[in-house]
Amino acid sequence: MSGMGSKMLELDDEDELKDFRACFVDDRSGVNYLDGNSLGRLSRAARDSIMTAIDQEWGVELIRGWEHWGELSFAIGDTLAAELLGAASGQVVVADSTSVNLYKVIMAAHSLVPDRRVLLADLNDFPTDRYILEGIAKANRMELRFIATAMDEPVVADDFAPYLDDDVAVVVLSQVNYRSGALNDLAQIAYTVHSVGAMLVGDLSHSVGAVPIALDDDDIDFAVGCTYKYLNGGPGSPAFLYARRRLQAELTQPIWGWFSARDQFTMAPGYEPVAGIGRFLVGTPPVLQLRALEGALTVVCEAGIERLRAKSLRQTELAIELFEQVLAPHGFRLASPRLGPERGGHVSFEHPHAQELTSILLRDHRVLVDYRAPNRVRFAPSPLYTSFAQVYEGIMALAKAVES
Ligand SMILES: Cc1ncc(COP(=O)(O)O)c(C=O)c1O
């Protein structure tokens, strides 16, 4: 065995989280899965939870299940708040998709500063964030300003400063960039955004479950995020939404559905929202997916975000070390921050043939990673189930793919 091979065995042996691999169903995928930030793997707890919900709840309780299903969006929201988001209870709810939640919170944020006409976003942010903003700007005759940020580095408050004035209503920014994995300092940006009286919406899709988050302490106004990435909630599992408690009473969200109406079953002629975070609900939540997420979260919470972050940093560090040895000589460029504190849970490598190489990796080496336009290969080890050996093998396979 090569020196590196035995070093990987050692790292895997010393890994504090190694036993969590057994929390996931036997891997029959036939691939080295390094795409946990697109869709997390299926845990036994998620599978058991959804199967119980199917057999015991839907199968037996039928409509009577709603005597307790209504609580799920709030209970899971509170778990996320306490364990992963650094938020007190009553500020997070789980419902709808991240895109729909973005629409709701951007409009709600604007309802707090209705005379302001400008929306501000990062030109390199995830498409859905930019598109939702574009739609809101068009429908409401607002101006949408894009900040031209560096694609592979964290966005800093100074990047925003030249675009901020007292007409800015809402700023939207991902905490971890989907392409580069750059980790943005939301606390610092919130401070700058608040200095002109604007509101900040954070998209935590690539940070939740990968890095510690402190929404309350960082003074973030609103946040949204996916649950099917590092939280392993399953394809289409509903997103979460955070709204600061002190803002909740005054705001209006734009989709008035019966799940947020006061006295839902009086079927009143007009809409009046409930008090609290429940006013962000719209319609019937996906109960089976909520149950899957509830199960999946037990695994994430047991590992704990501090241990997850520590292992994730070591794994991305290893990927970067190997990049220097075997990828840089083949014309790859590191398209992620080199410094750990500036990085989320994934790393990207730029190469002119990134798309083709991603396909070759899967076809010839059974390594599953993402391609992200314009020319990046994205590696996302998920610390709950990815071994150090898998990180090593993934990078070495990429080197072989480019040699061939
Ligand atoms: C930053 C970010 N926001 C939002 C989404 C997706 O939103 P939705 O669940 O509505 O498809 C993604 C998906 O990858 C994402 O990376």
Side-chain angles (χ1 to χ4, degrees):
M1 181 180 298
S2 73
M4 274 314 258
S6 56
K7 185 175 165 205
M8 293 309 120
L9 286 183
E10 230 171 81
L11 285 173
D12 281 328
D13 196 44
E14 287 162 5
D15 174 10
E16 250 190 90
L17 299 179
K18 65 180 175 209
D19 292 341
F20 281 89
R21 242 168 283 153
C23 296
F24 290 81
V25 299
D26 295 340
D27 191 355
R28 289 179 290 122
S29 67
V31 294
N32 178 356
Y33 193 64
L34 295 167
D35 202 3
N37 66 344
S38 280
L39 178 70
R41 280 185 53 195
L42 171 64
S43 64
R44 293 176 196 282
R47 187 188 56 190
D48 292 350
S49 182
I50 200 169
M51 291 314 291
T52 306
I54 289 172
D55 291 338
Q56 301 302 321
E57 299 185 78
W58 182 13
V60 175
E61 295 174 24
L62 291 167
I63 193 67
R64 291 167 295 186
W66 281 110
E67 286 163 23
H68 53 97
W69 290 333
E71 283 309 307
L72 277 175
S73 300
F74 298 94
I76 299 174
D78 277 345
T79 301
L80 282 170
E83 303 281 342
L84 299 169
L85 300 176
S89 71
Q91 301 180 103
V92 178
V93 80
V94 179
D96 304 316
S97 64
T98 302
S99 304
V100 171
N101 286 342
L102 269 168
Y103 177 73
K104 288 187 288 185
V105 296
I106 295 166
M107 294 295 284
H110 186 233
S111 78
L112 298 170
V113 282
D115 297 333
R116 294 174 174 235
R117 309 301 308 156
V118 175
L119 302 169
L120 201 55
D122 168 9
L123 188 60
N124 286 307
D125 218 329
F126 189 74
T128 214
D129 302 61
R130 293 182 281 110
Y131 302 159
I132 295 283
L133 281 162
E134 228 180 295
I136 290 176
K138 179 136 201 251
N140 297 280
R141 295 202 172 83
M142 295 176 80
E143 180 195 341
L144 174 56
R145 292 181 191 159
F146 282 118
I147 303 165
T149 51
M151 194 182 276
D152 302 326
E153 283 160 32
V155 180
V156 290
D158 282 352
D159 293 328
F160 279 91
Y163 302 83
L164 284 169
D165 56 40
D166 61 9
D167 208 18
V168 174
V170 187
V171 175
V172 176
L173 182 68
S174 282
Q175 187 174 21
V176 169
N177 184 275
Y178 77 102
R179 187 159 37 200
S180 66
L183 173 59
N184 299 319
D185 182 347
L186 286 190
Q188 187 202 43
I189 287 159
Y191 182 81
T192 307
V193 167
H194 292 157
S195 70
V196 296
M199 315 293 298
L200 178 65
V201 172
D203 184 337
L204 314 181
S205 295
H206 283 277
S207 51
V208 67
V211 300
I213 298 170
L215 291 176
D216 285 356
D217 285 351
D218 289 354
D219 203 15
I220 311 305
D221 303 301
F222 298 91
V224 296
C226 301
T227 60
Y228 47 76
K229 300 176 184 291
Y230 295 105
L231 304 186
N232 312 314
S237 73
F240 64 86
L241 172 160
Y242 163 90
R244 202 75 205 258
R245 188 191 305 281
R246 66 176 146 73
L247 305 174
Q248 289 173 9
E250 288 164 62
L251 56 82
T252 320
Q253 71 94 350
I255 313 179
W256 293 6
W258 70 317
F259 265 68
S260 58
R262 196 171 296 222
D263 302 321
Q264 184 181 8
F265 283 94
T266 60
M267 311 288 191
Y271 173 82
E272 248 198 85
V274 292
I277 191 71
R279 63 180 48 194
F280 279 96
L281 294 182
V282 178
T284 308
V287 172
L288 300 180
Q289 295 263 218
L290 283 168
R291 284 292 188 215
L293 175 59
E294 188 182 39
L297 280 178
T298 60
V299 184
V300 180
C301 296
E302 199 189 327
I305 190 62
E306 297 300 336
R307 291 198 296 172
L308 289 168
R309 171 65 168 161
K311 177 173 171 189
S312 161
L313 273 175
R314 280 198 296 277
Q315 293 196 313
T316 50
E317 200 65 60
L318 170 67
I320 292 173
E321 256 175 63
L322 294 168
F323 149 82
E324 275 158 1
Q325 291 166 23
V326 301
L327 296 180
H330 286 294
F332 281 92
R333 186 184 69 82
L334 178 64
S336 298
R338 199 171 280 266
L339 297 176
E342 295 185 355
R343 230 171 33 234
H346 66 271
V347 281
S348 292
F349 306 113
E350 184 193 59
H351 190 279
H353 302 297
Q355 189 164 20
E356 199 187 338
L357 288 167
T358 305
S359 309
I360 294 174
L361 263 188
L362 183 59
R363 191 194 63 205
D364 295 349
H365 303 276
R366 312 301 295 157
V367 175
L368 206 166
V369 294
D370 263 334
Y371 160 74
R372 282 291 173 269
N375 48 14
R376 273 121 172 110
V377 186
R378 193 173 75 164
F379 273 72
S382 187
L384 274 175
Y385 51 78
T386 307
S387 65
F388 286 88
Q390 284 176 301
V391 175
Y392 173 75
E393 282 154 17
I395 301 282
M396 295 323 257
L398 185 53
K400 279 195 197 123
V402 76
E403 277 166 21
S404 70

